[in-house]
Amino acid sequence: MELRQLRYFVTVVEEAQFTRAADRLQLAQPGLSAQIRQLEWGLGQPLLDRSGRSVRPTEVGEAVLPYARAALAAVDGMRQTVQEHTGLLRGRVAVGLVPGTLAHAFDVAGRLADFHDAHPQVEVTLTEDTSDRMLAALRRGELDLAVIGVAKGTPPAGVALHVVIDEPLVAAAAPGHPLLVEHADAGAAPPSALRGHRLISMPRGTGMRGVLDRLCAEAGFRPHIAFEAATPDALARLAVRGLGVALLPGLGPRPGLGTLPVDAPDARGRVGLAWRAQGPMAPAARELLRRLRERAGERRGEVLGRRGGRVRGRWLAPTRRAGRRCGAGPLGEPRCRRLTGAAGPRGTWCSPR
């Protein structure tokens, strides 16, 4: 088994066709096919199903694909680490985004531009998709980082999250809507008030849809989703036309809409930076993650899932002196932090060992 054969195998899977894979690798197709057969012969199992119009991994191929990607990533990481120590950062970073992220004040586009100016030899690819699909791509090694919607207080297994946006959710509808009239005096609406109303929501697999489904399930009913759209702005435009009640993040004014906060502790619209919690991270991806988290502001960020899927605390500036047992975290960050409360700082917190 050779590393180049693993790279050929991964490329064929990604392209789903030998011809495109050969073009991408700048190889002759017969030579590529021969190398894949040698790999399959060495493993004693077919890795690719060639019977259809497109090439797909077999069951064994699906099982070994993550290991092939991990082996290639490890070798690339070794090369990039050497280059990093010589002051030259190269490589490729694959980033996933939930739709609408580039237009948010978090300013992912600005951070990417700064990163490109500082490291022009690094290729950055962007993909927009639902949070669930991007989490799966993270685990498979197809993405290095992702900006995803966070539906739960604990992240999925194998993923660490740094919450960068955390806003209350509001029910928004055209003025005069029965939901707004009924709960005008209370100034907020419980999740149970959404029962029986036509709702406008993001699709399944998104963080906000996960929050809505959970709130309704806890209130004992299934939401009536009349319309789905990919971004909060699209939801708001549908609600302005009187098509239903939209669940939107943020308490700011919405032109043409009346809003009521959703009265539930977990009714929050959260967006977080996600990365694999285990295994090495390429230097280029680690540097981009550092810049994105710096932009998010450690005073507002919250890291989840570093160990056991628990909230690890709200991060502020590192304390001046760390205890003797306090070292650096997996990304080079000091483990000691200060916590804040309503009255300001209240002592030093160290992550558990």
Side-chain angles (χ1 to χ4, degrees):
M1 182 188 305
E2 300 179 12
L3 277 174
R4 62 173 179 169
Q5 292 173 341
L6 297 181
R7 194 175 301 278
Y8 297 166
F9 166 60
V10 170
T11 303
V12 172
V13 172
E14 291 175 349
E15 296 295 339
Q17 191 181 83
F18 275 93
T19 301
R20 288 198 298 264
D23 289 342
R24 176 172 155 186
L25 293 165
Q26 297 182 342
L27 295 173
Q29 182 176 332
L32 174 60
S33 299
Q35 289 293 324
I36 297 295
R37 289 194 189 95
Q38 286 185 23
L39 177 61
E40 292 174 323
W41 181 85
L43 293 173
Q45 291 287 337
L47 302 180
L48 297 173
D49 180 0
R50 304 163 173 83
S51 61
R53 298 183 61 183
S54 61
V55 179
R56 300 176 59 85
T58 62
E59 184 176 353
V60 174
E62 286 281 6
V64 304
L65 183 59
Y67 296 99
R69 286 195 169 111
L72 294 172
V75 173
D76 289 344
M78 290 174 62
R79 294 194 184 102
Q80 292 171 25
T81 299
V82 173
Q83 292 167 350
E84 185 180 40
H85 282 281
T86 60
L88 182 63
L89 199 63
R90 296 177 180 270
R92 176 179 176 272
V93 183
V95 181
L97 304 172
V98 288
T101 305
L102 293 176
H104 198 278
F106 176 48
D107 192 20
V108 173
R111 292 302 94 192
L112 292 176
D114 293 343
F115 178 79
H116 178 69
D117 290 343
H119 305 288
Q121 299 299 320
V122 178
E123 176 189 355
V124 180
T125 63
L126 298 179
T127 301
E128 283 193 334
D129 210 335
T130 65
S131 298
D132 282 358
R133 286 199 285 263
M134 287 192 293
L135 284 171
L138 271 177
R139 294 193 192 96
R140 293 193 300 266
E142 296 170 7
L143 292 177
D144 297 298
L145 309 171
V147 180
I148 65 170
V150 182
K152 300 178 181 179
T154 56
V159 175
L161 291 172
H162 184 143
V163 176
V164 297
I165 300 170
D166 188 351
E167 299 174 312
L169 294 179
V170 300
H177 190 280
L179 177 69
L180 303 179
V181 174
E182 182 178 353
H183 296 275
D185 293 338
S192 58
L194 300 176
R195 185 196 301 264
H197 291 292
R198 294 162 55 88
L199 303 181
I200 306 170
S201 170
M202 289 188 176
R204 291 188 183 278
T206 59
M208 283 183 54
R209 178 60 175 271
V211 172
L212 174 61
D213 287 344
R214 188 178 71 253
L215 291 174
C216 293
E218 291 172 352
F221 70 98
R222 178 178 294 180
H224 175 198
I225 307 298
F227 293 92
E228 292 182 342
T231 66
D233 286 345
L235 302 181
R237 287 196 293 270
L238 293 171
V240 165
R241 295 293 185 177
L243 296 175
V245 178
L247 200 68
L248 302 174
L251 297 175
R254 299 276 183 176
L257 291 172
T259 61
L260 285 170
V262 179
D263 188 11
D266 294 332
R268 311 288 301 182
R270 295 186 177 100
V271 173
L273 287 168
W275 65 95
R276 288 184 299 281
Q278 305 296 329
M281 178 178 285
R286 186 167 63 245
E287 172 63 13
L288 179 55
L289 176 61
R290 183 193 68 79
R291 287 171 175 265
L292 290 172
R293 287 173 59 185
E294 184 179 77
R295 170 60 184 170
E298 290 187 346
R299 292 183 178 274
R300 299 179 59 188
E302 188 174 81
V303 173
L304 310 179
R306 185 59 54 77
R307 288 180 182 266
R310 294 169 52 195
V311 175
R312 313 313 292 173
R314 292 192 178 277
W315 284 26
L316 295 182
T319 56
R320 291 181 180 273
R321 297 180 61 189
R324 185 163 49 184
R325 295 180 60 194
C326 297
L331 299 176
E333 75 278 3
R335 289 185 184 275
C336 289
R337 305 287 168 181
R338 280 189 191 280
L339 288 176
T340 103
R346 48 185 176 90
T348 301
W349 166 79
C350 297
S351 65
R353 291 295 179 266

